[in-house]
């Protein structure tokens, strides 16, 4: 189902790192190991077996090189992709760009019904993440419940596989980095299992965790919890 090449993670570049030889023909994916948006593009690169074609360039977001903003990506965010003399950004756009412009298994289905439903689910992403983040600031378990119920229902749309569109697709790639973090926080902070009473959601998480292209990108749980505490507990 995926490329099972486990690669050593290179050390993130910092403010003291030398400028890379930009636009030298090398395709580079700039990421952060802790950023869920960057994780989407990283999973896509791995799933399509592009570890040799697309070089991973991790950045330390708290101490990133000044040349990244000046020479690479003026928005100064991750992910970004340096390819064919230009730099592209925005994680959802990059999933589709990498899928369309490189070899490897397709992540966007050709079936019109699946394509349409996929677009619906992608358009719901912001609502999903905002609802859960809002719940963290209130009464998390009941407030976040409808957001996870939505995913449980969506996973019942197609019965030819355990994923949102039946087979693994860009929709799964888009959602899993955030679900990974939400599941961790609910379990560790609120002692709550978000898959209880949601069998399709439970099966989906289980199946995604069998895909090497994803598991190789998982963030350090301790680091994710630390980020959560800094973002939410510090405000209370």
């Amino acid at each position: 189902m995926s490329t099972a090449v486990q690669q050593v993670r290179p050390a993130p570049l910092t403010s003291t790192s030398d400028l890379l030889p930009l636009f030298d023909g090398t395709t580079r994916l700039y990421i952060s190991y802790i950023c869920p948006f960057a994780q989407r593009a990283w999973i896509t690169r791995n799933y399509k077996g592009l570890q040799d074609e697309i070089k991973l360039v991790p950045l330390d977001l708290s101490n990133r090189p000044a040349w990244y903003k000046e020479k690479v990506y003026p928005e100064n965010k991750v992910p970004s992709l340096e390819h064919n003399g230009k730099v592209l950004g925005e994680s959802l756009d990059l999933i589709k760009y990498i899928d369309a412009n490189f070899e490897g298994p397709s992540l966007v289905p050709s079936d019109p019904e699946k394509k349409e439903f996929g677009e619906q689910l992608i358009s719901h992403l912001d609502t999903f993440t905002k609802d859960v983040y809002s719940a963290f600031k209130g009464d998390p378990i009941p407030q976040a419940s409808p957001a996870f119920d939505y995913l449980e229902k969506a996973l019942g749309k197609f019965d030819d596989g355990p994923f949102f569109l039946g087979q693994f697709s860009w929709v799964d790639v888009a959602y899993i980095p955030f679900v990974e973090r939400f599941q961790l926080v609910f379990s560790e902070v609120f002692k709550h299992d978000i898959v209880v009473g949601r069998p399709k959601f439970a099966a989906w998480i289980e199946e995604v965790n069998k895909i090497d292209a994803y598991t190789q990108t998982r963030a350090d749980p301790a680091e994710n919890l630390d980020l959560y505490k800094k973002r939410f507990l510090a405000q209370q």
Side-chain angles (χ1 to χ4, degrees):
M1 177 168 264
S2 58
T3 302
V5 179
Q6 182 68 55
Q7 296 193 330
V8 176
R9 293 186 178 185
L13 301 185
T14 68
S15 59
T16 60
S17 300
D18 292 336
L19 175 66
L20 298 178
L22 304 175
F23 308 114
D24 61 350
T26 303
T27 301
R28 297 181 176 92
L29 177 62
Y30 297 88
I31 67 158
S32 158
Y33 291 135
I34 57 170
C35 173
F37 297 100
Q39 190 177 1
R40 290 168 170 169
W42 186 9
I43 295 168
T44 304
R45 170 247 200 196
N46 289 358
Y47 188 75
K48 294 181 75 71
L50 300 168
Q51 286 88 341
D52 293 331
E53 285 86 348
I54 300 179
K55 182 178 181 182
L56 207 63
V57 183
L59 304 179
D60 179 347
L61 295 186
S62 64
N63 185 30
R64 69 195 89 185
W67 53 256
Y68 179 68
K69 180 179 181 179
E70 295 163 4
K71 308 280 189 185
V72 181
Y73 194 46
E75 285 83 352
N76 205 23
K77 300 187 296 184
V78 292
S80 71
L81 182 74
E82 177 190 336
H83 181 235
N84 282 352
K86 60 184 183 292
V87 177
L88 307 143
E90 300 302 326
S91 63
L92 296 174
D93 293 340
L94 285 183
I95 297 175
K96 295 186 92 169
Y97 181 87
I98 294 169
D99 193 54
N101 288 277
F102 293 87
E103 296 293 320
S106 177
L107 281 163
V108 180
S110 54
D111 177 84
E113 187 184 5
K114 290 188 174 187
K115 211 166 192 173
E116 182 184 359
F117 190 59
E119 294 287 353
Q120 284 180 33
L121 290 172
I122 292 295
S123 69
H124 181 72
L125 267 163
D126 281 350
T127 300
F128 169 70
T129 55
K130 285 174 184 172
D131 286 351
V132 179
Y133 282 133
S134 295
F136 285 160
K137 300 171 186 174
D139 191 356
I141 296 170
Q143 280 183 235
S145 189
F148 298 124
D149 288 343
Y150 179 95
L151 299 190
E152 174 71 13
K153 184 179 178 183
L155 284 160
K157 173 80 170 176
F158 298 104
D159 59 7
D160 59 332
F163 304 105
F164 282 110
L165 305 183
Q167 303 306 305
F168 190 71
S169 75
W170 74 304
V171 179
D172 306 294
V173 173
Y175 272 92
I176 190 58
F178 288 93
V179 172
E180 171 189 328
R181 287 154 176 81
F182 295 156
Q183 185 179 35
L184 174 71
V185 170
F186 273 96
S187 174
E188 295 298 317
V189 178
F190 305 116
K191 309 304 176 189
H192 175 70
D193 187 349
I194 60 174
V195 305
V196 169
R198 302 182 180 103
K200 292 182 177 66
F201 189 39
W204 176 75
I205 292 175
E206 185 179 339
E207 291 301 317
V208 173
N209 274 284
K210 293 176 183 175
I211 297 175
D212 298 316
Y214 159 64
T215 59
Q216 292 173 4
T217 71
R218 281 190 301 215
D220 176 11
E223 203 165 356
N224 267 337
L225 282 173
D226 188 50
L227 285 172
Y228 162 81
K229 288 170 183 174
K230 283 178 181 174
R231 180 173 177 182
F232 294 99
L233 298 187
Q235 299 173 1
Q236 295 177 3

